[in-house]
Amino acid sequence: MGMSRNELYRTTFRSAADSVPADYFTTHHSLREIVVALKDGMDDKNGAFCLYDENKNIVYSTIEEKQDVALLEKVDKQHKAYKIEEKDGKYTLRVVSYMMLSANFKGYYVETQTNIGSAYTQRQDMVRMYHYIVCVVLLCCVIVSLILSYFLTYRIRGLSLSARAFADGDMDRRALVRGKDEVAVLSADFNQMADSLQEKMQELEEHAKSQEAFTAAFAHELKTPLTSIIGYAELIRSMALSKEEEMTAADYIYSQGKRLESLSYKLLDLFVLQQGQKPESPVKMEKVGEETKEIMAPVLAKKQQRLTLWMEPFTLTGEKDLLISLLCNLIDNARKASGEGKKITVRGTKEEDGYQLTVADEGKGIPTEEIHKIFAPFYMVDKSRSRKEGGAGLGMSLCAEILRLHGAQWKIESKEGQGTCIYLHFPEKEEP
């Protein structure tokens, strides 16, 4: 705006001066009249005007204060000079240009001063508006960042809360899995770890409970024979007994001692089996059947019980003595559960994926709710009958360990009053 105004004054003054006769420029007074007429004709109230001759002397000026003519030194025929000055909070743009009049062939400087306070006011308003907008944008960015950070991290916070709750004992606490990103994968891994830990802890609790139950049952099993032995020994030691009474007391002491011996042997066998490795010797099952039948024949004869045993020829990887012990224990349990003259059947048959043993009796049977307990140490379906027969409740525990070492599976079918049938499956191919 200031440059255009200066150019307008310079062009108008040159045109007016060139239109008058040359002898009119004899004095500054005549030139002043042209400038005054020009100024009045333009009716410019937006600023001041000043005309200098080539010696930088003022020809005409609407400015009362004395001006600094140093700015004129920077002007030549092709270039203008300008300067912004500030005084009492007001801003003025000084623009100086040079021109040569053809009427008198003299040079003159044209200076215009334009009030640009409004421009500075606008600039300040724009700067304030800019600061305001920047503050608003920054505030919005902060709010958006907080919202985004919340939504991006709330699942991590949830995972952290779940981990702390799990560490404090809430074993059922799990992390929420959403999506398929890295946080979801981490949450799924945490849940898998928590499930695994919970299973392990449950196994430890069950093992601890089984150990407690084993200790209590073992103490109970020791208490009864020891009480009998101590009682009859005290009777013999403190009283004079007849020959018959001494024999009766000795029989009780002997039978209870044998029971303790049997209990210790079975406990030792159970411990050895639990620490043992999987057997890897070829075993002919028909030979196992023959030896088992010979071992059990005298015991079965006491109750006139019949053993029907048929073993299909088959060779599998195992331990012969353990398999014989397995069959003997199963047959002995069948014997105890069966009455006089009853039949016990043992069959061994080849299958596509291994070998199956079946032991069936015609005894009292096992209640359905008790079947899953029979492999527990010291468990007896009929405690009074088992103790009378000399049992300690460890036979089926030994069978369970033998089956575990051979990788076999078992299944029991039983009905009260109709007997029991036990199926043992050895998932092995026949040895060449």
Side-chain angles (χ1 to χ4, degrees), residues 15 18 47 118 176 189 197 236 286 308 322-323 373 386 402:
S15 299
D18 289 343
S118 59
L176 184 63
D189 291 341
L197 285 175
I236 295 174
E286 60 272 22
T308 302
L322 292 180
L323 292 174
K373 301 178 182 179
S386 297
I402 295 172

Side-chain angles (χ1 to χ4, degrees), residues 40-248:
D40 294 340
M42 295 184 67
D43 192 21
D44 184 13
K45 299 179 180 179
N46 195 32
F49 172 78
C50 188
L51 181 65
Y52 301 88
D53 60 16
E54 58 186 6
N55 295 321
K56 301 180 181 59
N57 297 319
I58 296 176
V59 176
Y60 173 81
S61 177
T62 61
I63 306 170
E64 296 180 357
E65 297 92 354
K66 185 179 180 179
Q67 298 299 311
D68 182 12
V69 295
L71 184 62
L72 278 60
E73 300 291 342
K74 301 178 182 179
V75 180
D76 55 30
K77 293 181 180 180
Q78 280 120 19
H79 300 91
K80 298 177 183 179
Y82 70 91
K83 181 180 180 182
I84 297 176
E85 295 182 349
E86 187 270 334
K87 185 177 181 181
D88 299 332
K90 296 180 180 180
Y91 293 88
T92 303
L93 174 62
R94 293 179 62 195
V95 181
V96 181
S97 61
Y98 179 82
M99 67 179 178
M100 178 69 72
L101 295 181
S102 59
N104 58 0
F105 298 101
K106 292 182 178 181
Y108 294 90
Y109 296 94
V110 178
E111 177 181 351
T112 56
Q113 295 188 3
T114 306
N115 184 9
I116 59 173
S118 59
Y120 271 85
T121 303
Q122 288 180 348
R123 189 192 71 168
Q124 292 174 352
D125 292 341
M126 292 179 66
V127 170
R128 283 195 294 269
M129 180 60 68
Y130 171 77
H131 290 163
Y132 174 75
I133 293 174
V134 169
C135 291
V136 172
V137 171
L138 289 176
L139 180 60
C140 293
C141 290
V142 170
I143 295 174
V144 172
S145 299
L146 290 175
I147 294 174
L148 288 177
S149 63
Y150 173 79
F151 281 105
L152 289 174
T153 60
Y154 80 98
R155 289 186 296 166
I156 297 178
R157 292 196 301 274
L159 177 60
S160 177
L161 291 174
S162 299
R164 278 182 281 181
F166 190 85
D168 291 337
D170 187 2
M171 296 300 173
D172 296 325
R173 186 68 174 267
R174 295 294 183 272
L176 184 63
V177 180
R178 287 183 179 176
K180 297 181 180 180
D181 56 5
E182 291 80 0
V183 178
V185 173
L186 180 61
S187 300
D189 291 341
F190 171 80
N191 291 342
Q192 184 178 1
M193 178 199 70
D195 292 338
S196 178
L197 285 175
Q198 189 174 23
E199 291 177 2
K200 295 297 183 183
M201 294 188 68
Q202 288 176 350
E203 290 177 3
L204 290 175
E205 290 179 0
E206 292 175 359
H207 181 70
K209 290 180 180 179
S210 64
Q211 292 292 332
E212 292 177 359
F214 179 88
T215 304
F218 180 67
H220 181 74
E221 290 299 322
L222 288 178
K223 180 180 178 181
T224 301
L226 286 176
T227 301
S228 299
I229 291 173
I230 293 172
Y232 280 103
E234 178 66 21
L235 183 65
I236 295 174
R237 187 174 68 89
S238 60
M239 296 180 61
L241 302 177
S242 63
K243 191 69 175 177
E244 183 179 354
E245 290 174 336
E246 287 181 356
M247 287 298 299
T248 301

Side-chain angles (χ1 to χ4, degrees), residues 366-376 379 410 412:
I366 305 172
T368 303
E369 64 275 7
E370 302 288 327
I371 290 178
H372 69 282
K373 301 178 182 179
I374 65 172
F375 286 118
Y379 177 78
W410 59 274
I412 298 177

Side-chain angles (χ1 to χ4, degrees), residues 273 276-283 285 288 315-327 353-355 357 398-410 424-429:
L273 288 175
Q277 297 181 351
K278 184 177 180 180
E280 298 180 353
S281 301
V283 179
M285 295 306 295
V288 172
T315 302
L316 57 78
T317 301
E319 176 59 45
K320 180 181 177 182
D321 293 337
L322 292 180
L323 292 174
I324 292 175
S325 177
L326 171 68
L327 278 178
D353 57 346
Y355 194 77
L357 288 174
L398 290 172
C399 292
E401 290 299 321
I402 295 172
L403 291 174
R404 181 185 64 81
L405 288 175
H406 287 81
Q409 297 178 344
W410 59 274
L424 309 177
H425 181 75
F426 296 83
E428 297 182 4
K429 294 182 180 179

